[in-house]
Amino acid sequence: MIGFYILIGIISLFSWLVSNTLKSKFKKYSQVHLRNGMSGAEIAQKMLVDHGISDVQVISTPGRLTDHYNPQNKTVNLSEAVYNQRNTAAAAVAAHEVGHAVQHARAYQYLQMRSKLVPMVSITSRFSQWMVIGGIAFGAASGSTGIGFYIALAGLAFMALGTIFSFITLPVEYDASNRALAWLENKNMVTREELAGSKDALKWAARTYLVAALGSLAMLLYWALQVLGNRD
């Protein structure tokens, strides 16, 4: 168990470092103004047009780092700063989110898998851990591993679904970034310096998903040991 806690500590530290580095990178590249003078919204709209996508709307959404693509209503949602600003960070984020729209239009396999899991994961993630804890507690209180074990086992299954979702998210995010960077470069939308900044920013953004996936896997293994290791 000590080894596990050390692992969790390392993942938590890495998560903190990645999060802080990401904020630092976006702050840095938000100060690098695009030579072409285009805003994030204009970048997104042009990328959609260049890929022949006419049924996706680019809209502004409140908040910071709230950028996302919604496949349900086909909207590229850009945070207010990204939507309006004309810098390297805004270009990178806008192009990345359109990358998801391109994935949707091209029926990218991992995006389709992820979309199918969203409804289930949004429900099961709320109570999977509580089912595991409750099952263990019930088994300990009743002095039997029967019902409690199966409740905990169901919780583990739900938790495993969330972990699978986290790992499926990785190729979706990396592919969207690759599509974004390829378009920015091939269409000469950014200078060499601006492209390097976009790559750096998206690299650190992707690492947040990697840390989340590793953390999810670590927690799954921990609770699996608690449930399966304590069974008579």
Side-chain angles (χ1 to χ4, degrees):
M1 283 297 110
I2 295 179
F4 173 80
Y5 290 122
I6 292 175
L7 176 61
I8 289 296
I10 293 173
I11 292 176
S12 298
L13 177 60
F14 187 44
S15 177
W16 178 82
L17 289 172
V18 169
S19 178
N20 279 272
T21 302
L22 175 62
K23 292 177 182 177
S24 176
K25 294 291 184 181
F26 272 87
K27 181 179 180 180
K28 174 183 177 181
Y29 297 122
S30 291
Q31 298 172 354
V32 180
H33 298 287
L34 290 179
R35 188 169 298 179
N36 63 23
M38 297 177 69
S39 66
E42 291 168 340
I43 290 283
Q45 192 60 56
K46 179 166 176 51
M47 185 172 172
L48 287 170
V49 171
D50 286 350
H51 284 84
I53 300 174
S54 58
D55 59 347
V56 172
Q57 185 180 6
V58 180
I59 62 176
S60 176
T61 186
R64 185 170 179 268
L65 298 178
T66 51
D67 312 271
H68 65 282
Y69 170 68
N70 188 335
Q72 300 300 319
N73 59 10
K74 291 188 175 183
T75 56
V76 172
N77 299 263
L78 302 180
S79 59
E80 294 170 344
V82 171
Y83 188 92
N84 295 305
Q85 291 185 7
R86 305 169 188 274
N87 53 55
T88 301
V93 173
H96 172 86
E97 297 307 333
V98 175
H100 289 307
V102 175
Q103 290 174 336
H104 192 191
R106 304 290 188 269
Y108 180 60
Q109 180 182 7
Y110 287 103
L111 180 65
Q112 290 182 316
M113 292 170 60
R114 185 180 184 279
S115 297
K116 290 177 181 178
L117 287 175
V118 167
M120 290 183 287
V121 172
S122 63
I123 296 174
T124 58
S125 62
R126 299 175 185 174
F127 51 82
S128 59
Q129 187 169 333
W130 292 110
M131 286 182 66
V132 173
I133 296 173
I136 293 174
F138 182 83
S142 63
S144 170
T145 58
I147 298 177
F149 171 75
Y150 289 111
I151 292 175
L153 202 62
L156 278 180
F158 291 154
M159 198 176 290
L161 187 64
T163 300
I164 292 172
F165 179 84
S166 295
F167 277 92
I168 289 177
T169 295
L170 292 178
V172 174
E173 295 301 325
Y174 278 99
D175 179 77
S177 290
N178 290 336
R179 291 175 190 267
L181 293 170
W183 177 78
L184 288 172
E185 182 176 18
N186 294 336
K187 295 295 182 177
N188 296 313
M189 296 300 298
V190 291
T191 65
R192 184 172 299 180
E193 178 188 2
E194 292 165 353
L195 180 64
S198 296
K199 287 181 179 179
D200 195 27
L202 292 180
K203 175 183 69 178
W204 284 98
R207 285 176 179 172
T208 62
Y209 292 98
L210 177 59
V211 171
L214 293 176
S216 179
L217 177 61
M219 291 305 298
L220 174 63
L221 293 176
Y222 170 76
W223 287 114
L225 287 173
Q226 295 298 307
V227 173
L228 302 178
N230 291 332
R231 190 184 185 195
D232 293 334

